[in-house]
Amino acid sequence: MKRLDRHIGSHVVWGTALALFVLMALFTLTEFVDDLDSVGRGEYTLMRAFQHLALKMPGLAFELFPIAALIGSLLGLGLLAGNLELMVIRAAGVSSMRITGSVMKAAGLLMVIVMLIGELVVPSSERLAEQLKSLSVSKKVKRKAGEGFWMRDGSSFINVRRELPGDEMADVYVYEFDGQRRLRVATRAQRAHYHVGQWILEDLRQSLIDEQHVRRRRIDNAEWTSVVEPGLVDVITVAPESLSVLGLYKYLGYLRDNNLSTKRYELAMWSKLVAPFATGVMIFLSIPLVLGRLGSVGIGQRLLVGIMVGMSFYVMQQVAAQSGIVYGLTPLLSAVAPTLLFFGVGTGLMRALR
């Protein structure tokens, strides 16, 4: 039976790899054409556009993996059905459930691969892609909403205009409020770098505000202890969907400690956790489709069905995510609902085969 598992599993894995390669070729071409608008700005050359595209590919692969798994397993199992191998296997007394077990073992391998891509490769590659393009185009990390990005640290609010490579920031503004929400200290640092658990602020201009006076002073260097760490800054400057589960978990703790909205990041975290299972569900769904009516049709029809079902799943994921944010639904429900729905469809089709 191990030989049977390897034979069926190899068709699923290679079919998924082929489908992923084709899908990525199509989507990367579109991404590259869009990116050409930035070529020639600053130091962003054609070579750097290719480098940027290469760094974006792991994230694209992670996003497309469930669809590729469905199409690939339909093609792989369809090839076995077209060669009458599945018919022979079933005629030899191998049940549909045993074939399902062989397929799902391959699915388990692919689920591990997609999890590793999402956790170990995508966060660093997306961050490097953002830095490469931003530094090449404007010699600084891209600003958020035109005025850098904002963070909260207890009763203080921090505005970072520029994030630089190597755990450094520039144009850092810190606004400190008292218990009555009155501004007491306003600080601007030309530059900041992280060293041994704290920030070193350089070339400070500070305004000390009380009920009657505003005193100004300049300081060459000062130590600044804050919950804001380089890893937290990386989270803020990269889209939530591109972060690791651990990075999202840490940032959620920061948001909760400061009474800030967490829904978008909760949704991103649950979506990352669900993604490997979505890949398994897509492969599971392909089994009754091939063992049923699609077993006797041509490769073109199987490919069409795979694309239609895969795109339906993708659209449902996007709709569920946006609906969850707009209508305040539980992030876990928004992330899990499409996968559970397609798992239910697959289970129903499997029962119909019996």
Side-chain angles (χ1 to χ4, degrees):
M1 285 300 178
K2 289 185 178 180
R3 182 176 296 179
L4 177 65
D5 291 340
R6 286 196 298 269
H7 185 61
I8 294 177
S10 64
H11 280 74
V12 173
V13 171
W14 285 112
T16 300
L18 177 61
L20 184 62
F21 175 80
V22 173
L23 287 173
M24 287 190 64
L26 294 173
F27 279 83
T28 51
L29 178 60
T30 303
E31 182 96 11
F32 181 69
V33 171
D34 291 339
D35 206 29
L36 287 177
D37 291 337
S38 300
V39 173
R41 294 169 54 191
E43 298 178 359
Y44 197 63
T45 62
L46 188 62
M47 180 57 67
R48 292 194 176 181
F50 279 115
Q51 293 174 343
H52 179 258
L53 184 65
L55 290 169
K56 297 287 288 184
M57 288 179 71
L60 186 61
F62 181 80
E63 187 176 352
L64 294 174
F65 217 100
I67 302 175
L70 173 64
I71 297 174
S73 54
L74 282 175
L75 295 178
L77 294 176
L79 181 61
L80 292 174
N83 294 335
L84 303 180
E85 292 183 62
L86 285 182
M87 181 181 295
V88 172
I89 291 171
R90 298 180 74 176
V94 179
S95 66
S96 298
M97 292 305 297
R98 182 64 186 84
I99 295 174
T100 300
S102 297
V103 174
M104 294 312 295
K105 287 180 181 178
L109 173 63
L110 294 174
M111 289 166 66
V112 171
I113 291 174
V114 73
M115 181 179 66
L116 293 176
I117 293 174
E119 289 301 295
L120 302 180
V121 183
V122 172
S124 57
S125 67
E126 288 288 329
R127 184 168 59 252
L128 289 172
E130 174 74 11
Q131 291 181 352
L132 172 67
K133 185 170 183 178
S134 297
L135 289 170
S136 298
V137 171
S138 57
K139 297 187 182 298
K140 61 180 181 289
V141 172
K142 184 196 268 180
R143 293 185 175 189
K144 303 291 182 178
E147 293 295 336
F149 55 86
W150 288 84
M151 296 172 286
R152 180 177 177 180
D153 182 1
S155 60
S156 300
F157 292 85
I158 304 136
N159 177 215
V160 179
R161 299 293 178 91
R162 291 189 292 159
E163 187 208 353
L164 305 174
D167 297 341
E168 294 188 14
M169 301 185 295
D171 293 341
V172 181
Y173 294 78
V174 182
Y175 302 96
E176 301 176 44
F177 292 79
D178 62 15
Q180 285 72 46
R181 299 182 181 179
R182 293 175 297 189
L183 180 64
R184 289 307 186 189
V185 182
T187 304
R188 179 192 176 187
Q190 291 288 349
R191 201 174 185 91
H193 66 274
Y194 198 72
H195 179 68
V196 194
Q198 60 186 356
W199 291 96
I200 307 299
L201 303 180
E202 302 173 4
D203 191 11
L204 288 82
R205 295 183 181 181
Q206 197 169 63
S207 297
L208 306 176
I209 306 168
D210 57 29
E211 283 77 4
Q212 291 158 19
H213 302 92
V214 176
R215 292 183 293 116
R216 293 183 174 86
R217 64 181 182 181
R218 296 192 65 171
I219 305 173
D220 292 334
N221 295 284
E223 297 178 351
W224 176 43
T225 301
S226 172
V227 297
V228 178
E229 299 178 353
L232 185 61
V233 174
D234 289 339
V235 169
I236 296 170
T237 55
V238 178
E241 296 76 18
S242 301
L243 298 168
S244 67
V245 172
L246 181 60
L248 287 165
Y249 180 78
K250 288 181 178 179
Y251 190 58
L252 282 169
Y254 159 78
L255 292 175
R256 293 190 183 101
D257 290 343
N258 288 279
N259 297 318
L260 300 173
S261 176
T262 63
K263 284 191 177 297
R264 186 185 176 196
Y265 288 88
E266 284 186 77
L267 177 62
M269 185 181 73
W270 286 116
S271 296
K272 293 277 288 191
L273 289 171
V274 169
F277 298 99
T279 298
V281 167
M282 291 294 100
I283 294 175
F284 174 71
L285 181 60
S286 70
I287 300 170
L289 291 176
V290 172
L291 295 181
R293 295 185 177 181
L294 291 184
S296 58
V297 303
I299 187 172
Q301 290 177 275
R302 281 194 292 269
L303 183 61
L304 178 61
V305 170
I307 293 173
M308 291 178 62
V309 175
M311 292 307 297
S312 298
F313 177 73
Y314 178 80
V315 170
M316 286 193 63
Q317 277 186 315
Q318 301 304 311
V319 170
Q322 296 303 318
S323 299
I325 294 174
V326 172
Y327 297 107
L329 303 178
T330 304
L332 175 58
L333 177 63
S334 299
V336 155
T339 301
L340 286 179
L341 176 61
F342 276 76
F343 177 71
V345 171
T347 302
L349 291 174
M350 284 295 295
R351 289 179 178 176
L353 291 177
R354 297 178 182 175

